[in-house]
Amino acid sequence: MQKPISFVRTGTFVVQSIRTTSAKGHDWLAISPSEAGFTSDLDGLLETAITENRVWNLHGVVVVRNGRLVFERYFKGNDNARGHSLGNVAFTADTLHDLRSVSKSIIGLLYGMALADGKVPPPDAPLFASFPEYADLLPTPPGTAGLSVTC
């Protein structure tokens, strides 16, 4: 069964295509999108989304499924770090990124996976109950010791 692909960011970029069998720092076994359960035209769908301005400000796309590299592509465009322009950058697997907000999404995803596996307490559980070894760090103002993941 092939999985549908949806691109949610939009915009215009000059595109350069790079297809490799190894993402930076890893020796991945590469497989085709269709072998991984995706449409075989993954690159074409991405190109169409970019051309139709449904995707913009995209620096790179790396798809790994079951430990295998399915798709890797990088783009060229403007970038900034903490509000300072870095100019027009040709992004590669070696390009460092100022991630900030994406980190929250990744942590949320990982927490949800751990929660589903029963490895972490629920979001409304008292935060310090998970870290009894840090009891000396409990806040002293009344009512603040009941902080939870969701606050």
Side-chain angles (χ1 to χ4, degrees):
M1 179 177 160
Q2 292 185 342
K3 306 280 187 207
I5 301 301
S6 174
F7 300 103
V8 294
R9 302 209 51 190
T10 57
T12 305
F13 257 69
V14 176
V15 178
Q16 70 183 45
S17 179
I18 300 172
R19 178 80 171 129
T20 68
T21 57
S22 178
K24 181 68 179 170
H26 294 281
D27 285 328
W28 297 101
L29 175 60
I31 60 173
S32 70
S34 57
E35 289 174 298
F38 294 99
T39 178
S40 60
D41 193 27
L42 194 57
D43 192 48
L45 288 173
L46 178 60
E47 185 63 39
T48 298
I50 292 168
T51 302
E52 294 176 354
N53 294 326
R54 292 185 286 131
V55 176
W56 78 71
N57 199 22
L58 193 59
H59 297 177
V61 176
V62 178
V63 178
V64 175
R65 177 172 271 175
N66 298 324
R68 296 190 174 161
L69 181 64
V70 177
F71 185 81
E72 182 175 12
R73 185 166 170 193
Y74 300 95
F75 306 89
K76 185 176 182 179
N78 292 319
D79 194 20
N80 70 67
R82 300 197 175 274
H84 300 289
S85 176
L86 300 176
N88 200 15
V89 177
F91 296 99
T92 70
D94 296 317
T95 307
L96 297 178
H97 287 77
D98 181 14
L99 297 177
R100 286 189 272 174
S101 289
V102 79
S103 300
K104 292 180 277 195
S105 298
I106 293 168
I107 295 299
L109 174 67
L110 294 173
Y111 179 80
M113 292 167 62
L115 183 63
D117 289 344
K119 295 180 179 180
V120 294
D124 57 351
L127 190 58
F128 281 98
S130 297
F131 304 100
E133 66 273 24
Y134 296 108
D136 60 317
L137 298 177
L138 279 169
T140 53
T144 59
L147 294 177
S148 66
V149 172
T150 58
C151 295

